[in-house]
Amino acid sequence: MHVLQLFEQIAHIPHCSGETGELGDFIQSFGQKHGYRVERDPAGNILCYRSRRELCLQAHYDMVCVGKAPLIELIQKDGWLEAKDSSLGADNGIGVAIMLALMEEKSEAEFLFTNDEEIGLVGAKNLQLELKASRMLNLDSEEFGKIYVGCAGGVDIVAYAPCSKGPSSKPYFYTIKAKNFPGGHSGVDIDKDIPNAIKAFAHFAKGAKIAWLKAGERRNSIPVHLEGVIGVEGELESNEWFEVMRSDPQPVVDKDVWRIVCSFADGVRGWQKEFGIPSRSANLAKIAVDENLVIECSLRANSDKELDRCECEYKTFFESFGMDVEVKDRYWAWKPVVTPFAKEVARVYERYSKPQFTAIHAGLECAIFAKKYPSMQIASIGPTIQNPHSVHERVKLADIEPIYAIAKELIG
């Protein structure tokens, strides 16, 4: 399968979010080599086209790097493609590979490769390339058999407070380190009961005073890692989630970090029954405690009104603990609408599977394009990708060829 060969090539070019220059250069050269006009804007977005521009295919070319990534060792196992001890980058490298395969065939469409989607839809928000297409097929969804016609909006909250340190009356001190937390995507996996390392810590070490603590990887991932030194009232023993080792007493911060973490409402906050997905959610993503306390969380909602509500609630929550709050990287929701183009996608899809229209509780760049181009009809499809943004990420091999075939037929 040529799409898979192109993905393997992509996987060996480093392209972690924020460090995508090498893959961007590869895409630009690839387009020029195959006779496309190539435009690139300051945000790193790349647009390739020939003459006909009725349909735009779109994917982002950055990836979330977890584990050993960007050093990716591909493994095929039981009909799935995964990576050894790292994230795979199928999100959204498979979409990129499908577009490159179609460009090799000189397909007539707009091919838009956006940059740094995983760190706040940066490329799409700052797009300076002019699209002519009236329809867009986004290739960044992760469930075969689904046609996405809506997505959540999101906003990040970062709370700060200075800390001072002093002696603690806690009789037991431990070095603590998390283990075995599976991680996952803070949107599509938020309803899967995946344990959050930071929240689990609050229940494991009740009433802990913090000498120092560092946890989490990125705002859009359910946290896996946590380590630090804490003081507690009673003895702790290692379990399947945490390793502990006795430590000498150390000065602890004056902020009641444990109380903040314990009372943070993490996970699904509301449900959208029509599509069977969360309507609102919060992910306690990162925490750092030393001379300063810094807490980062990501909020999602399926409408802009609900997102405003979430932002107000969590901003007020942190301020009630005397913390300063900064709101970052807000992006819009994409209101679910089954357009004529979505119905056309469904007709083609039926040759391979019986599709279902749905929405996703995660950010798609579709929301940005829907806002920038109100008359554009947009739909999103993709192969089944499990556990994105984690070392357990994998893509179902049998789904790749049908998605490629659907995209090819829609181009015509």
Side-chain angles (χ1 to χ4, degrees):
M1 183 192 306
H2 194 49
V3 173
L4 194 56
Q5 293 173 345
L6 285 165
F7 176 75
E8 290 173 352
Q9 194 170 357
I10 291 167
H12 291 106
I13 301 173
H15 55 285
C16 304
S17 298
E19 300 176 343
T20 59
E22 189 174 348
L23 183 54
D25 292 343
F26 172 82
I27 293 169
Q28 181 173 345
S29 298
F30 188 97
Q32 293 167 339
K33 174 183 174 182
H34 291 283
Y36 285 79
R37 180 171 178 176
V38 179
E39 299 175 0
R40 194 167 178 177
D41 67 16
N45 302 303
I46 302 167
L47 178 63
C48 305
Y49 59 90
R50 294 168 70 85
S51 56
R52 286 172 43 211
R53 302 176 64 176
E54 292 86 5
L55 174 66
C56 177
L57 274 70
Q58 184 266 323
H60 68 85
Y61 67 93
D62 64 308
M63 69 170 285
V64 171
C65 287
V66 179
K68 294 181 178 179
L71 299 176
I72 298 174
E73 182 181 342
L74 299 175
I75 301 169
Q76 290 192 32
K77 182 180 179 181
D78 299 327
W80 296 83
L81 181 68
E82 55 191 56
K84 183 178 180 181
D85 300 325
S86 77
S87 49
L88 174 64
D91 171 18
N92 189 213
I94 292 294
V96 171
I98 287 171
M99 290 165 58
L100 295 178
L102 290 166
M103 288 169 62
E104 274 195 329
E105 299 178 6
K106 309 297 190 288
S107 297
E108 289 279 8
E110 292 182 330
F111 294 89
L112 177 62
F113 303 86
T114 50
N115 190 28
D116 286 341
E117 186 266 358
E118 300 288 8
I119 50 176
L121 310 175
V122 174
K125 286 180 179 178
N126 295 283
L127 183 71
Q128 295 182 28
L129 305 172
E130 185 180 4
L131 303 180
K132 299 289 188 182
S134 59
R135 302 170 299 154
M136 174 180 283
L137 185 68
N138 169 278
L139 297 172
D140 191 23
S141 60
E142 296 163 354
E143 192 170 2
F144 186 74
K146 301 290 182 67
I147 300 171
Y148 288 89
V149 295
C151 74
V155 67
D156 294 338
I157 298 286
V158 183
Y160 310 84
C163 296
S164 58
K165 290 188 176 183
S168 171
S169 62
K170 297 293 185 182
Y172 300 98
F173 271 76
Y174 293 92
T175 297
I176 184 170
K177 188 171 185 178
K179 61 180 181 178
N180 299 327
F181 285 91
H185 189 285
S186 64
V188 296
D189 293 328
I190 200 70
D191 61 339
K192 293 182 173 62
D193 201 28
I194 294 172
N196 177 313
I198 300 172
K199 287 293 289 185
F201 158 77
H203 295 284
F204 175 72
K206 293 181 179 179
K209 293 297 183 180
I210 312 298
W212 68 271
L213 190 72
K214 185 175 183 181
E217 296 75 48
R218 53 195 55 79
R219 295 177 201 158
N220 61 358
S221 295
I222 298 171
V224 171
H225 300 101
L226 178 145
E227 60 181 333
V229 173
I230 61 173
V232 291
E233 199 66 37
E235 292 187 65
L236 296 178
E237 293 184 358
S238 299
N239 62 15
E240 67 170 312
W241 300 113
F242 295 101
E243 289 283 353
V244 293
M245 181 180 299
R246 288 294 295 268
S247 171
D248 292 332
Q250 297 186 24
V252 298
V253 300
D254 58 339
K255 297 297 181 184
D256 195 347
V257 178
W258 178 85
R259 190 174 298 276
I260 297 171
V261 170
C262 189
S263 56
F264 183 97
D266 181 75
V268 176
R269 299 297 315 282
W271 201 259
Q272 187 168 355
K273 295 181 180 179
E274 179 185 1
F275 293 109
I277 59 174
S279 61
R280 303 187 309 277
S281 70
N283 178 53
L284 181 55
K286 297 178 68 178
I287 185 168
V289 188
D290 202 347
E291 295 180 356
N292 295 287
L293 167 61
V294 182
I295 300 176
E296 303 178 45
C297 66
S298 60
L299 311 176
R300 299 179 192 267
N302 293 357
S303 73
D304 292 337
K305 183 178 180 179
E306 287 185 308
L307 190 61
D308 287 341
R309 173 181 166 183
C310 287
E311 179 184 323
C312 179
E313 287 181 359
Y314 284 88
K315 187 171 183 289
T316 303
F317 168 80
F318 286 117
E319 288 174 342
S320 72
F321 284 97
M323 302 185 73
D324 295 324
V325 176
E326 189 173 350
V327 177
K328 295 191 172 189
D329 296 331
R330 187 185 178 103
Y331 55 92
W332 301 290
W334 172 31
K335 184 179 179 180
V337 177
V338 180
T339 64
F341 175 57
K343 293 177 180 178
E344 181 185 351
V345 175
R347 286 193 295 271
V348 175
Y349 217 125
E350 285 174 353
R351 295 179 175 82
Y352 306 93
S353 177
K354 186 173 178 59
Q356 175 185 351
F357 294 115
T358 191
I360 187 171
H361 191 65
L364 289 175
E365 290 167 301
C366 302
I368 308 298
F369 300 120
K371 192 71 99 175
K372 287 179 179 285
Y373 301 95
S375 63
M376 181 181 280
Q377 298 182 47
I378 306 172
S380 177
I381 62 174
T384 298
I385 299 174
Q386 295 182 341
N387 307 308
H389 302 187
S390 79
V391 296
H392 305 289
E393 180 184 3
R394 63 179 190 167
V395 60
K396 191 172 183 179
L397 290 167
D399 293 349
I400 297 173
E401 184 65 27
I403 296 298
Y404 163 78
I406 292 165
K408 182 176 180 179
E409 186 166 342
L410 287 168
I411 291 173

